[in-house]
mmCIF file with all atom_site columns, all heavy atoms in Angstrom:
data_model
loop_
_atom_site.group_PDB
_atom_site.id
_atom_site.type_symbol
_atom_site.label_atom_id
_atom_site.label_alt_id
_atom_site.label_comp_id
_atom_site.label_asym_id
_atom_site.label_entity_id
_atom_site.label_seq_id
_atom_site.pdbx_PDB_ins_code
_atom_site.Cartn_x
_atom_site.Cartn_y
_atom_site.Cartn_z
_atom_site.occupancy
_atom_site.B_iso_or_equiv
_atom_site.pdbx_formal_charge
_atom_site.auth_seq_id
_atom_site.auth_comp_id
_atom_site.auth_asym_id
_atom_site.auth_atom_id
_atom_site.pdbx_PDB_model_num
ATOM 1  N N   . PRO F 1 359 ? 4.468   39.783 48.190 1.00 97.00 ? 359 PRO F N   1
ATOM 2  C CA  . PRO F 1 359 ? 3.187   39.459 48.859 1.00 97.00 ? 359 PRO F CA  1
ATOM 3  C C   . PRO F 1 359 ? 2.093   40.502 48.595 1.00 97.00 ? 359 PRO F C   1
ATOM 4  O O   . PRO F 1 359 ? 0.916   40.166 48.533 1.00 97.00 ? 359 PRO F O   1
ATOM 5  C CB  . PRO F 1 359 ? 3.552   39.456 50.351 1.00 97.00 ? 359 PRO F CB  1
ATOM 6  C CG  . PRO F 1 359 ? 5.027   39.376 50.415 1.00 97.00 ? 359 PRO F CG  1
ATOM 7  C CD  . PRO F 1 359 ? 5.574   39.927 49.144 1.00 97.00 ? 359 PRO F CD  1
ATOM 8  N N   . GLU F 1 360 ? 2.496   41.755 48.421 1.00 97.00 ? 360 GLU F N   1
ATOM 9  C CA  . GLU F 1 360 ? 1.504   42.800 48.170 1.00 97.00 ? 360 GLU F CA  1
ATOM 10 C C   . GLU F 1 360 ? 0.965   42.689 46.746 1.00 97.00 ? 360 GLU F C   1
ATOM 11 O O   . GLU F 1 360 ? -0.243  42.799 46.511 1.00 97.00 ? 360 GLU F O   1
ATOM 12 C CB  . GLU F 1 360 ? 2.123   44.172 48.423 1.00 97.00 ? 360 GLU F CB  1
ATOM 13 C CG  . GLU F 1 360 ? 1.114   45.311 48.543 1.00 97.00 ? 360 GLU F CG  1
ATOM 14 C CD  . GLU F 1 360 ? 0.903   46.105 47.259 1.00 97.00 ? 360 GLU F CD  1
ATOM 15 O OE1 . GLU F 1 360 ? 1.713   45.934 46.310 1.00 97.00 ? 360 GLU F OE1 1
ATOM 16 O OE2 . GLU F 1 360 ? -0.053  46.878 47.186 1.00 97.00 ? 360 GLU F OE2 1
ATOM 17 N N   . LEU F 1 361 ? 1.854   42.453 45.776 1.00 98.00 ? 361 LEU F N   1
ATOM 18 C CA  . LEU F 1 361 ? 1.397   42.301 44.387 1.00 98.00 ? 361 LEU F CA  1
ATOM 19 C C   . LEU F 1 361 ? 0.489   41.079 44.254 1.00 98.00 ? 361 LEU F C   1
ATOM 20 O O   . LEU F 1 361 ? -0.506  41.100 43.527 1.00 98.00 ? 361 LEU F O   1
ATOM 21 C CB  . LEU F 1 361 ? 2.597   42.168 43.443 1.00 98.00 ? 361 LEU F CB  1
ATOM 22 C CG  . LEU F 1 361 ? 3.502   43.398 43.307 1.00 98.00 ? 361 LEU F CG  1
ATOM 23 C CD1 . LEU F 1 361 ? 4.626   43.130 42.310 1.00 98.00 ? 361 LEU F CD1 1
ATOM 24 C CD2 . LEU F 1 361 ? 2.705   44.629 42.875 1.00 98.00 ? 361 LEU F CD2 1
ATOM 25 N N   . LEU F 1 362 ? 0.843   40.026 44.990 1.00 98.00 ? 362 LEU F N   1
ATOM 26 C CA  . LEU F 1 362 ? 0.020   38.815 44.947 1.00 98.00 ? 362 LEU F CA  1
ATOM 27 C C   . LEU F 1 362 ? -1.383  39.117 45.488 1.00 98.00 ? 362 LEU F C   1
ATOM 28 O O   . LEU F 1 362 ? -2.392  38.708 44.899 1.00 98.00 ? 362 LEU F O   1
ATOM 29 C CB  . LEU F 1 362 ? 0.699   37.710 45.767 1.00 98.00 ? 362 LEU F CB  1
ATOM 30 C CG  . LEU F 1 362 ? -0.007  36.357 45.834 1.00 98.00 ? 362 LEU F CG  1
ATOM 31 C CD1 . LEU F 1 362 ? -0.180  35.753 44.448 1.00 98.00 ? 362 LEU F CD1 1
ATOM 32 C CD2 . LEU F 1 362 ? 0.770   35.380 46.726 1.00 98.00 ? 362 LEU F CD2 1
ATOM 33 N N   . ALA F 1 363 ? -1.458  39.843 46.601 1.00 97.00 ? 363 ALA F N   1
ATOM 34 C CA  . ALA F 1 363 ? -2.758  40.200 47.173 1.00 97.00 ? 363 ALA F CA  1
ATOM 35 C C   . ALA F 1 363 ? -3.572  41.018 46.180 1.00 97.00 ? 363 ALA F C   1
ATOM 36 O O   . ALA F 1 363 ? -4.767  40.791 45.988 1.00 97.00 ? 363 ALA F O   1
ATOM 37 C CB  . ALA F 1 363 ? -2.556  40.986 48.473 1.00 97.00 ? 363 ALA F CB  1
ATOM 38 N N   . PHE F 1 364 ? -2.927  41.963 45.530 1.00 97.00 ? 364 PHE F N   1
ATOM 39 C CA  . PHE F 1 364 ? -3.606  42.845 44.583 1.00 97.00 ? 364 PHE F CA  1
ATOM 40 C C   . PHE F 1 364 ? -4.153  42.036 43.397 1.00 97.00 ? 364 PHE F C   1
ATOM 41 O O   . PHE F 1 364 ? -5.329  42.167 43.016 1.00 97.00 ? 364 PHE F O   1
ATOM 42 C CB  . PHE F 1 364 ? -2.607  43.898 44.103 1.00 97.00 ? 364 PHE F CB  1
ATOM 43 C CG  . PHE F 1 364 ? -3.236  45.061 43.404 1.00 97.00 ? 364 PHE F CG  1
ATOM 44 C CD1 . PHE F 1 364 ? -3.748  46.128 44.134 1.00 97.00 ? 364 PHE F CD1 1
ATOM 45 C CD2 . PHE F 1 364 ? -3.320  45.095 42.024 1.00 97.00 ? 364 PHE F CD2 1
ATOM 46 C CE1 . PHE F 1 364 ? -4.332  47.204 43.485 1.00 97.00 ? 364 PHE F CE1 1
ATOM 47 C CE2 . PHE F 1 364 ? -3.900  46.161 41.376 1.00 97.00 ? 364 PHE F CE2 1
ATOM 48 C CZ  . PHE F 1 364 ? -4.404  47.223 42.108 1.00 97.00 ? 364 PHE F CZ  1
ATOM 49 N N   . ALA F 1 365 ? -3.302  41.181 42.831 1.00 98.00 ? 365 ALA F N   1
ATOM 50 C CA  . ALA F 1 365 ? -3.720  40.374 41.676 1.00 98.00 ? 365 ALA F CA  1
ATOM 51 C C   . ALA F 1 365 ? -4.869  39.438 42.063 1.00 98.00 ? 365 ALA F C   1
ATOM 52 O O   . ALA F 1 365 ? -5.801  39.221 41.292 1.00 98.00 ? 365 ALA F O   1
ATOM 53 C CB  . ALA F 1 365 ? -2.538  39.574 41.143 1.00 98.00 ? 365 ALA F CB  1
ATOM 54 N N   . LEU F 1 366 ? -4.796  38.925 43.291 1.00 97.00 ? 366 LEU F N   1
ATOM 55 C CA  . LEU F 1 366 ? -5.803  37.986 43.768 1.00 97.00 ? 366 LEU F CA  1
ATOM 56 C C   . LEU F 1 366 ? -7.148  38.689 43.984 1.00 97.00 ? 366 LEU F C   1
ATOM 57 O O   . LEU F 1 366 ? -8.194  38.207 43.544 1.00 97.00 ? 366 LEU F O   1
ATOM 58 C CB  . LEU F 1 366 ? -5.284  37.417 45.091 1.00 97.00 ? 366 LEU F CB  1
ATOM 59 C CG  . LEU F 1 366 ? -5.874  36.162 45.643 1.00 97.00 ? 366 LEU F CG  1
ATOM 60 C CD1 . LEU F 1 366 ? -5.808  35.047 44.621 1.00 97.00 ? 366 LEU F CD1 1
ATOM 61 C CD2 . LEU F 1 366 ? -5.070  35.750 46.882 1.00 97.00 ? 366 LEU F CD2 1
ATOM 62 N N   . LEU F 1 367 ? -7.111  39.829 44.666 1.00 97.00 ? 367 LEU F N   1
ATOM 63 C CA  . LEU F 1 367 ? -8.358  40.535 44.942 1.00 97.00 ? 367 LEU F CA  1
ATOM 64 C C   . LEU F 1 367 ? -9.026  41.011 43.648 1.00 97.00 ? 367 LEU F C   1
ATOM 65 O O   . LEU F 1 367 ? -10.236 41.176 43.600 1.00 97.00 ? 367 LEU F O   1
ATOM 66 C CB  . LEU F 1 367 ? -8.103  41.721 45.876 1.00 97.00 ? 367 LEU F CB  1
ATOM 67 C CG  . LEU F 1 367 ? -7.820  41.342 47.339 1.00 97.00 ? 367 LEU F CG  1
ATOM 68 C CD1 . LEU F 1 367 ? -7.317  42.537 48.125 1.00 97.00 ? 367 LEU F CD1 1
ATOM 69 C CD2 . LEU F 1 367 ? -9.063  40.755 48.004 1.00 97.00 ? 367 LEU F CD2 1
ATOM 70 N N   . HIS F 1 368 ? -8.228  41.216 42.603 1.00 97.00 ? 368 HIS F N   1
ATOM 71 C CA  . HIS F 1 368 ? -8.803  41.622 41.324 1.00 97.00 ? 368 HIS F CA  1
ATOM 72 C C   . HIS F 1 368 ? -9.189  40.422 40.465 1.00 97.00 ? 368 HIS F C   1
ATOM 73 O O   . HIS F 1 368 ? -9.828  40.593 39.426 1.00 97.00 ? 368 HIS F O   1
ATOM 74 C CB  . HIS F 1 368 ? -7.794  42.480 40.549 1.00 97.00 ? 368 HIS F CB  1
ATOM 75 C CG  . HIS F 1 368 ? -7.756  43.901 41.017 1.00 97.00 ? 368 HIS F CG  1
ATOM 76 N ND1 . HIS F 1 368 ? -7.734  44.972 40.161 1.00 97.00 ? 368 HIS F ND1 1
ATOM 77 C CD2 . HIS F 1 368 ? -7.757  44.445 42.257 1.00 97.00 ? 368 HIS F CD2 1
ATOM 78 C CE1 . HIS F 1 368 ? -7.715  46.092 40.854 1.00 97.00 ? 368 HIS F CE1 1
ATOM 79 N NE2 . HIS F 1 368 ? -7.724  45.805 42.135 1.00 97.00 ? 368 HIS F NE2 1
ATOM 80 N N   . SER F 1 369 ? -8.785  39.215 40.860 1.00 98.00 ? 369 SER F N   1
ATOM 81 C CA  . SER F 1 369 ? -8.872  38.078 39.942 1.00 98.00 ? 369 SER F CA  1
ATOM 82 C C   . SER F 1 369 ? -10.285 37.735 39.463 1.00 98.00 ? 369 SER F C   1
ATOM 83 O O   . SER F 1 369 ? -10.434 37.323 38.316 1.00 98.00 ? 369 SER F O   1
ATOM 84 C CB  . SER F 1 369 ? -8.177  36.852 40.539 1.00 98.00 ? 369 SER F CB  1
ATOM 85 O OG  . SER F 1 369 ? -8.807  36.458 41.728 1.00 98.00 ? 369 SER F OG  1
ATOM 86 N N   . PRO F 1 370 ? -11.328 37.891 40.282 1.00 98.00 ? 370 PRO F N   1
ATOM 87 C CA  . PRO F 1 370 ? -12.632 37.492 39.749 1.00 98.00 ? 370 PRO F CA  1
ATOM 88 C C   . PRO F 1 370 ? -13.067 38.318 38.539 1.00 98.00 ? 370 PRO F C   1
ATOM 89 O O   . PRO F 1 370 ? -13.867 37.860 37.740 1.00 98.00 ? 370 PRO F O   1
ATOM 90 C CB  . PRO F 1 370 ? -13.582 37.720 40.931 1.00 98.00 ? 370 PRO F CB  1
ATOM 91 C CG  . PRO F 1 370 ? -12.714 37.710 42.136 1.00 98.00 ? 370 PRO F CG  1
ATOM 92 C CD  . PRO F 1 370 ? -11.424 38.307 41.690 1.00 98.00 ? 370 PRO F CD  1
#
Side-chain angles (χ1 to χ4, degrees):
Chain F
E360 195 263 348
L361 294 182
L362 180 60
F364 194 84
L366 197 55
L367 287 169
H368 280 225
S369 62

